[in-house]
């Protein structure tokens, strides 16, 4: 090889590298945040399977309880839904939500239930039912790019934080005396943490509850990149993040629960199962320590998988939730 050919070879290698990087970044973006990508199934397949008989039995009992309660809640929700409503987000996307309002108009306690990644509102109606039967009004919105809400890109909590502000404002319009609990799961939990740091976060929200959230979108997707593809963060994560900013309107670095929690002033309950490897258990300590509000509590449910704490130890879960609410109301 002559020295004259060396720059040409380097240029060809650089072009090939950039083409491969662009392809990989586009693939990862489509996998992670494009609506109905099917990524949930792929992620669940890579999760570790316990070899401990006691843990396996615990997970089976929790899964059976979740299935039974979810089916019951579907029937309850279909009958109990007071109204559905649409709102237009700040970027023009039409959002859809379900209201469950008590017959007694003197009830001013509200729960807003925020579902998880690639889920829909109805899949979390068992939680809505628990609040409703406790005497609360309930709102369960479909997040953008989910259920009946419009949108091509999943917000990963960051875009959703602004949508949640609109839903909370709508609750206050319906009930000027509303006092609200904001209860989110997985990506919805991240949305709860992210919205808590917004300057216009309404004072009507008295308590926040995050169940199985992640510390940031970057950390969450980096974890999946390592576990599923065994690839290094650089340069793929950087390329995907830039592409996300261009296509979806946000970068993975800015979608940060830690940064938002440092501005939080609302009492918050942090719930995580210690067997959660979807959103790794260690993330609970990160977000808990970041929370600037002194009125905070951490619940660790032993043996609970991702968003399975309420079905693994239902009495512990709900007693902790109700007690935390009353202590900070």
């Amino acid at each position: 090889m002559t020295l004259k050919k060396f720059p040409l070879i380097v240029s060809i290698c650089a072009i090939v590298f950039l083409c491969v990087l662009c392809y990989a970044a586009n693939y990862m973006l489509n996998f992670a945040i494009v609506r109905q990508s099917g990524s949930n199934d792929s992620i669940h397949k890579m999760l570790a399977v316990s070899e401990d008989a006691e843990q396996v039995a615990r997970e089976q009992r929790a899964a059976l309880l979740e299935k039974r309660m979810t089916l019951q809640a579907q029937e309850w929700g279909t009958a109990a839904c007071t109204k559905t409503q649409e709102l237009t987000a700040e970027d023009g996307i039409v959002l859809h939500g379900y209201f469950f309002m008590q017959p007694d108009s003197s009830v001013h306690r509200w729960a807003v239930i925020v579902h998880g990644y690639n889920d829909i509102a109805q899949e979390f109606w068992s939680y809505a039912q628990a609040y409703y039967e406790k005497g609360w009004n309930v709102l369960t919105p479909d997040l953008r790019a989910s259920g009946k809400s419009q949108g091509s890109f999943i917000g990963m909590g960051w875009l959703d934080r602004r949508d949640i502000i609109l839903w909370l404002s709508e609750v206050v319009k319906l009930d000027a005396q509303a006092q609200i609990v904001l209860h989110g799961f997985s990506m919805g939990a991240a949305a709860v943490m992210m919205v808590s740091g917004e300057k216009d976060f309404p004072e009507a929200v008295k308590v926040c509850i995050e169940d199985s959230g992640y510390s940031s979108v970057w950390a969450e997707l980096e974890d999946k990149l390592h576990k599923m593809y065994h690839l290094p963060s650089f340069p793929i994560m950087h390329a995907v993040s830039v592409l996300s900013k261009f296509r979806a309107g946000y970068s993975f670095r800015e979608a940060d629960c830690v940064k938002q929690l440092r501005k939080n002033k609302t009492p918050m309950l942090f719930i995580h199962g210690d067997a959660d490897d979807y959103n790794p258990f260690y993330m609970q300590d990160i977000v808990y320590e970041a929370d600037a509000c002194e009125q905070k509590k951490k619940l660790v449910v032993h043996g609970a998988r991702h968003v399975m704490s309420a079905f693994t130890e239902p009495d512990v879960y709900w007693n902790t939730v109700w007690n935390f609410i009353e202590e900070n109301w």
Side-chain angles (χ1 to χ4, degrees):
M1 181 180 69
T2 65
L3 290 176
K4 291 182 178 180
K5 292 183 179 180
F6 184 75
L8 176 62
I9 293 173
V10 171
S11 297
I12 292 173
C13 290
I15 292 170
V16 170
F17 173 77
L18 288 173
C19 289
V20 171
L21 181 60
C22 288
Y23 174 82
N26 193 62
Y27 172 84
M28 288 297 298
L29 187 75
N30 289 338
F31 175 84
I33 67 171
V34 169
R35 183 179 191 136
Q36 297 178 335
S37 66
S39 54
N40 247 351
D41 292 337
S42 299
I43 295 170
H44 277 288
K45 288 177 182 178
M46 66 86 185
L47 300 179
V49 177
S50 177
E51 296 181 357
D52 179 74
E54 183 178 349
Q55 176 63 17
V56 171
R58 183 185 292 114
E59 291 178 16
Q60 289 175 342
R61 288 194 299 269
L64 287 172
L65 179 59
E66 179 196 31
K67 183 177 181 180
R68 177 167 59 83
M69 292 186 68
T70 300
L71 289 173
Q72 290 176 351
Q74 293 283 334
E75 295 180 7
W76 165 82
T78 301
C81 183
T82 309
K83 68 169 184 172
T84 61
Q85 185 165 337
E86 291 184 343
L87 291 179
T88 302
E90 293 171 355
D91 60 356
I93 287 176
V94 177
L95 307 169
H96 186 272
Y98 304 84
F99 283 85
F100 304 86
M101 299 175 69
Q102 297 288 338
D104 184 355
S105 60
S106 67
V107 173
H108 301 295
R109 287 193 168 195
W110 284 81
V112 178
I113 308 296
V114 189
H115 68 76
Y117 176 75
N118 266 333
D119 292 321
I120 58 177
Q122 291 96 320
E123 292 175 282
F124 288 80
W125 277 358
S126 63
Y127 298 90
Q129 184 177 6
Y131 277 100
Y132 187 85
E133 291 180 350
K134 195 78 170 175
W136 295 57
N137 300 309
V138 184
L139 163 63
T140 62
D142 279 327
L143 298 181
R144 59 175 54 221
S146 304
K148 294 184 178 180
S149 291
Q150 294 179 351
S152 300
F153 295 100
I154 297 169
M156 294 302 292
W158 187 246
L159 300 182
D160 307 297
R161 82 194 194 288
R162 297 306 310 168
D163 300 339
I164 290 171
I165 290 289
L166 294 178
W167 284 116
L168 295 173
S169 299
E170 192 62 27
V171 168
V172 174
K173 287 179 185 177
L174 288 171
D175 180 3
Q177 301 179 59
Q179 295 180 308
I180 306 168
V181 166
L182 189 56
H183 196 150
F185 305 85
S186 190
M187 185 185 79
V192 168
M193 290 186 280
M194 290 174 182
V195 73
S196 73
E198 293 295 282
K199 291 181 179 179
D200 55 349
F201 190 59
E203 293 183 0
V205 179
K206 302 304 179 184
V207 170
C208 292
I209 302 172
E210 76 86 15
D211 184 338
S212 309
Y214 42 78
S215 55
S216 69
V217 174
W218 182 283
E220 171 68 3
L221 298 183
E222 184 178 50
D223 175 75
K224 303 303 174 286
L225 180 68
H226 295 337
K227 286 180 178 176
M228 298 181 68
Y229 301 103
H230 310 289
L231 293 171
S233 302
F234 181 83
I236 296 175
M237 283 295 300
H238 301 76
V240 180
S241 183
V242 170
L243 187 60
S244 175
K245 184 69 173 180
F246 177 73
R247 292 183 60 191
Y250 66 99
S251 71
F252 298 161
R253 288 290 193 192
E254 66 183 312
D256 190 344
C257 298
V258 170
K259 177 183 67 177
Q260 293 293 96
L261 283 168
R262 287 174 180 155
K263 298 178 284 184
N264 176 44
K265 298 178 182 178
T266 306
M268 189 171 299
L269 174 62
F270 298 81
I271 303 173
H272 222 108
D274 64 8
D276 188 349
D277 56 351
Y278 189 109
N279 289 348
F281 173 54
Y282 71 82
M283 290 186 174
Q284 185 190 47
D285 285 337
I286 294 174
V287 293
Y288 179 83
E289 293 301 326
D291 186 12
C293 183
E294 294 183 359
Q295 287 72 46
K296 58 183 176 180
K297 185 173 183 177
K298 183 164 47 174
L299 171 64
V300 176
V301 179
H302 176 62
R305 287 282 199 160
H306 186 57
V307 196
M308 293 298 287
S309 293
F311 308 105
T312 303
E313 295 287 352
D315 290 340
V316 172
Y317 186 96
W318 285 109
N319 286 338
T320 303
V321 167
W322 301 134
N323 290 337
F324 186 79
I325 290 172
E326 294 306 320
E327 289 168 3
N328 294 282
W329 205 249

